[in-house]
Amino acid sequence: MMDLLRDRRAVALLLAASLTILSNATISPALPGIEARFSGTPDAALLTRLLVTAPALMVALCAPIAGMAADRFGRRRLLLAGVLLFSLAGSAGMVLPDLHLILASRLVLGIAVAFVMTSQAALVGDLFQGAARGRFMGYQMAATNFGGFVFVAFAGWLAGFDVFLVFALYAVGLLYLPFLWRAFLRSGRPPTTRRKG
């Protein structure tokens, strides 16, 4: 585990993994409050429920396109672009005045998640082989689950102050970006493959 943590690229991939859980579950504590705020909007209850499922729909639709984009433009660049778009689209709900616009931002968030998930999976394949890849996938799952626990708990706390504050959690990707950039782009070196032994 300590050898893994010495590799900035591996740590960067774990950070990116912690973001993916944010796309759906994080706003759940705020849904009743969001529906109440937009109660005058036609079909507010349905639109509010779609805020949770919209990103997953876009991930399913856009993952193949994201894979092609990763091959064409580079996996590292797509990961950075995905994290940036994730932060901007995810946090947009704090300021958007209309439920339809918030839903649109959630659809864009799903595109960003497709970018992050696809490029991250490809980079894991580049960095690790064999047993090392299996171990890293276990760490990645742990990072995702831990991120879900922390972010959902924090979202519930923020929703107690204002339901739209939960969208601020998506801006955590902006905090990750400098580290991700240093880990993948600044050196200009392509990822190396770790071999067993």
Side-chain angles (χ1 to χ4, degrees):
M1 179 65 176
M2 292 307 297
D3 288 340
L4 178 71
L5 294 179
R6 292 191 189 100
D7 189 333
R8 289 187 305 182
R9 295 165 300 179
V11 175
L13 291 175
L14 292 177
L15 290 175
S18 73
L19 290 178
T20 57
I21 195 68
L22 270 168
S23 61
N24 295 330
T26 302
I27 66 165
S28 296
L31 292 180
I34 293 173
E35 182 179 346
R37 294 284 185 93
F38 294 108
S39 58
T41 302
D43 300 317
L46 174 62
L47 293 172
T48 302
R49 287 193 294 271
L50 287 175
L51 296 180
V52 177
T53 57
L57 173 64
M58 294 306 293
V59 169
L61 292 175
C62 295
I65 299 171
M68 290 186 288
D71 290 338
R72 181 173 179 83
F73 301 109
R75 295 158 182 178
R76 299 170 294 172
R77 289 186 177 88
L78 190 70
L79 177 64
L80 294 176
V83 172
L84 177 60
L85 184 61
F86 176 96
S87 300
L88 297 177
S91 60
M94 286 192 300
V95 296
L96 293 175
D98 178 83
L99 187 55
H100 294 91
L101 290 176
I102 295 176
L103 179 58
S105 74
R106 301 290 292 173
L107 293 170
V108 176
L109 175 67
I111 297 172
V113 173
F115 287 177
V116 172
M117 291 179 69
T118 303
S119 56
Q120 180 198 33
L123 284 166
V124 169
D126 289 340
L127 284 167
F128 302 101
Q129 279 191 339
R133 183 182 299 173
R135 284 195 301 272
F136 183 81
M137 295 295 285
Y139 296 141
Q140 182 175 267
M141 184 174 295
T144 302
N145 292 336
F146 180 74
F149 172 77
V150 171
F151 290 135
V152 171
F154 200 39
W157 180 71
L158 288 174
F161 295 98
D162 188 294
V163 293
F164 295 104
L165 280 178
V166 297
F167 293 103
L169 287 174
Y170 293 93
V172 71
L174 296 177
L175 301 178
Y176 290 177
L177 270 176
F179 181 81
L180 296 177
W181 180 76
R182 286 195 300 269
F184 287 118
L185 282 187
R186 187 178 180 184
S187 67
R189 295 191 301 270
T192 58
T193 302
R194 292 176 178 268
R195 299 192 176 276
K196 190 173 180 180

